[in-house]
Amino acid sequence: MATKGPIVEQIVRHPGGFPVVGIIGGGQLARMCQPPAVGLSLTLAVLAQAPDAAAALVVPASPVGPYDDVDTVREFARQCDVVTFDHEHVPPEVLAALEADGVPLHPRPSALRFAQDKLAMRERLGDLVDCPRWRRVDSLEELTELGTEVGFPVVLKTPRGGYDGKGVRVVDSPDAVPDCADWFERAAGDGLLAEEAVDFTREIAVLVARSPSGQAAAWPVVETVQTGGICTEVIAPAPDLDDTLASRVTEAALRIAGELDVTGVMAVELFQVDRDGEPGYVVNELAMRPHNSGHWTIDGSVTSQFEQHLRAVLDLPLGDTRARAPWTVMGNVLGGAEPRHAELYGTYRHLLARDPGLKMHLYGKEVRPGRKIGHVTVCGDDLAELRDRAAHAAGYLEGTIIE
Ligand code: ADP
């Protein structure tokens, strides 16, 4: 429902000239910016999709309105000193209107488009870093051609709007190509991304932050474990990661951030590959905002990705990105069976008692099967023990483990 008129009457600021950071979108990322905003004496305002959106539950200034309506977003931005994003779906015409109004946007639309559109991203990154072999495909014939060139299976992706593996499909053989006809119909002439299926040894991610004045910082490279296309576990740092590869991927992410003039936090998801016995990488995709692969930093790093994002978009000096413990393990909590979730608070109380070192972050979201509703984090010295504790807590919250 479009909200017209002054959607925020008056945002109450901290005295002393501290700014208001506006976030378009009221999901869990905006929600997790609130604790560091308190720590930094900043005021957050969130343009939320609903009164009970994850961030609207914790940010007092959470007007409700559509992120794709120019007037609504303009009105919201007028109340803020800087504007950033909870997701990548704000349409180009809305971003252009804000830019024309002179709103300081971070990341800038000229950078953000490479995180919004996987075809634009592949085209831009090709000269900068190692990527899978790919092409834009507009027909089943072109998909077959790519498969013949790089070998089946190939991976077909919708360039925009995908998340958690939705919008990604593996095409195993030439015989499976005709099954993709509906994807081309839905693409309606916009083209799809087809790329080689990378034979990876594992998935890793690197998180960096860059400020408008060019200061940059990187966190340790992490391993991301996926189950059914959804990230279920993140291990920081990535176990047994070759030092040279760690430097190369960190340098690649910083190069991308610099070349694309990224401002704020950016995550680069990569595949680790074996190149004749030497570890290598190819870049999978970019996110220009705090990212699931960086949730471990809330409890596991001196400066969390959410604090760093706020610092970066305001061009404040960046914080220390070192880990607080030898290992941090983050487990995502996915929505499970309904009866269990009606009792989520009881489940939560049980876990607080069972594991006093466990940190649980639940997003206040309505539970749907498979939806990310929270995450758990543990830090310490013994990786195997930490992985067990995180898996137990996540499984207990999901209802797949009952004791
Ligand atoms: P989303 O934007 O939905 O997160 P991704 O492009 O990250 O989509 O793909 C989701 C998952 O699919 C990846 O984490 C990886 O496991 C798998 N995948 C994606 N691209 C490839 C590829 N080229 N080769 C092999 N696996 C892939």
Side-chain angles (χ1 to χ4, degrees):
M1 263 260 283
T3 312
K4 300 289 177 194
I7 56 174
V8 183
E9 292 284 329
Q10 174 96 58
I11 295 175
V12 183
R13 292 166 181 254
H14 290 250
F18 285 80
V20 175
V21 177
I23 305 180
I24 302 178
Q28 67 259 29
L29 302 179
R31 176 187 174 98
M32 287 186 272
C33 285
Q34 179 65 346
V38 172
L40 293 165
S41 286
L42 306 172
T43 301
L44 281 193
V46 165
L47 180 60
Q49 55 277 31
D52 62 351
L57 298 175
V58 298
V59 178
S62 287
V64 176
Y67 62 81
D68 54 0
D69 179 70
V70 173
D71 293 339
T72 304
V73 178
R74 264 193 163 142
E75 185 61 39
F76 172 72
R78 251 196 286 281
Q79 319 277 338
C80 308
D81 297 298
V82 56
V83 171
T84 185
F85 309 94
D86 173 70
H87 55 68
E88 279 131 4
H89 310 312
V90 180
E93 60 275 15
V94 174
L95 298 173
L98 295 183
E99 266 201 322
D101 291 347
V103 174
L105 284 178
H106 294 293
R108 298 182 187 103
S110 54
L112 188 62
R113 73 185 195 90
F114 300 110
Q116 292 181 309
D117 184 331
K118 291 181 183 179
L119 280 169
M121 179 267 293
R122 281 275 174 262
E123 198 151 328
R124 183 69 177 82
L125 293 193
D127 299 334
L128 288 178
V129 291
D130 294 347
C131 291
R133 285 173 292 171
W134 68 280
R135 75 176 267 190
R136 173 187 162 131
V137 290
D138 287 286
S139 64
L140 296 174
E141 293 70 35
E142 289 180 358
L143 180 56
T144 307
E145 277 168 29
L146 179 85
T148 311
E149 191 188 316
V150 304
F152 283 92
V154 292
V155 180
L156 187 64
K157 299 186 179 184
T158 47
R160 288 177 162 269
Y163 68 97
D164 286 350
K166 295 173 181 63
V168 174
R169 150 174 205 168
V170 179
V171 185
D172 284 318
S173 67
D175 293 344
V177 169
D179 300 341
C180 303
D182 55 329
W183 277 43
F184 286 96
E185 269 162 42
R186 275 203 301 277
D190 283 345
L192 296 172
L193 168 64
E195 58 189 30
E196 67 179 301
V198 177
D199 184 17
F200 56 81
T201 47
R202 62 175 166 177
E203 298 192 46
I204 55 178
V206 57
L207 192 72
V208 298
R210 185 172 173 276
S211 61
S213 54
Q215 190 191 1
W219 283 268
V221 178
V222 300
E223 176 171 348
T224 60
V225 180
Q226 325 281 323
T227 315
I230 299 185
C231 174
T232 44
E233 185 189 30
V234 172
I235 306 170
D240 303 318
L241 184 65
D242 176 79
D243 285 344
T244 310
L245 182 62
S247 306
R248 283 180 56 216
V249 299
T250 304
E251 197 262 330
L254 292 170
R255 189 171 344 127
I256 294 169
E259 291 286 332
L260 273 49
D261 196 16
V262 175
T263 44
V265 164
M266 177 182 72
V268 184
E269 296 180 57
L270 312 105
F271 300 122
Q272 182 174 335
V273 293
D274 182 276
R275 296 210 192 285
D276 302 322
E278 291 297 315
Y281 77 87
V282 291
V283 169
N284 178 25
E285 67 167 339
L286 308 179
M288 290 184 201
R289 50 170 169 72
H291 186 251
N292 193 199
S293 64
H295 288 359
W296 71 274
T297 60
I298 298 176
D299 304 301
S301 169
V302 177
T303 307
S304 81
Q305 61 167 349
F306 300 100
E307 175 175 347
Q308 199 78 302
H309 189 68
L310 295 172
R311 288 178 181 236
V313 301
L314 288 165
D315 213 5
L316 291 170
L318 299 180
D320 185 346
T321 51
R322 277 175 298 182
R324 288 182 185 274
W327 298 105
T328 302
V329 177
M330 189 282 306
N332 276 324
V333 180
L334 307 179
E338 202 47 63
R340 181 82 172 172
H341 286 291
E343 304 300 328
L344 198 56
Y345 188 59
T347 312
Y348 171 89
R349 286 173 61 105
H350 170 87
L351 284 172
L352 290 179
R354 187 181 193 274
D355 187 347
L358 177 75
K359 300 294 176 190
M360 279 181 280
H361 303 262
L362 299 175
Y363 309 146
K365 285 164 73 168
E366 199 187 310
V367 176
R368 276 188 236 127
R371 188 184 202 197
K372 284 178 191 151
I373 58 160
H375 71 267
V376 296
T377 311
V378 278
C379 307
D381 302 323
D382 182 341
L383 178 57
E385 182 229 33
L386 295 173
R387 292 187 73 178
D388 282 348
R389 282 166 60 199
H392 173 273
Y396 194 80
L397 287 161
E398 287 166 1
T400 51
I401 294 173
I402 47 171
E403 58 186 278

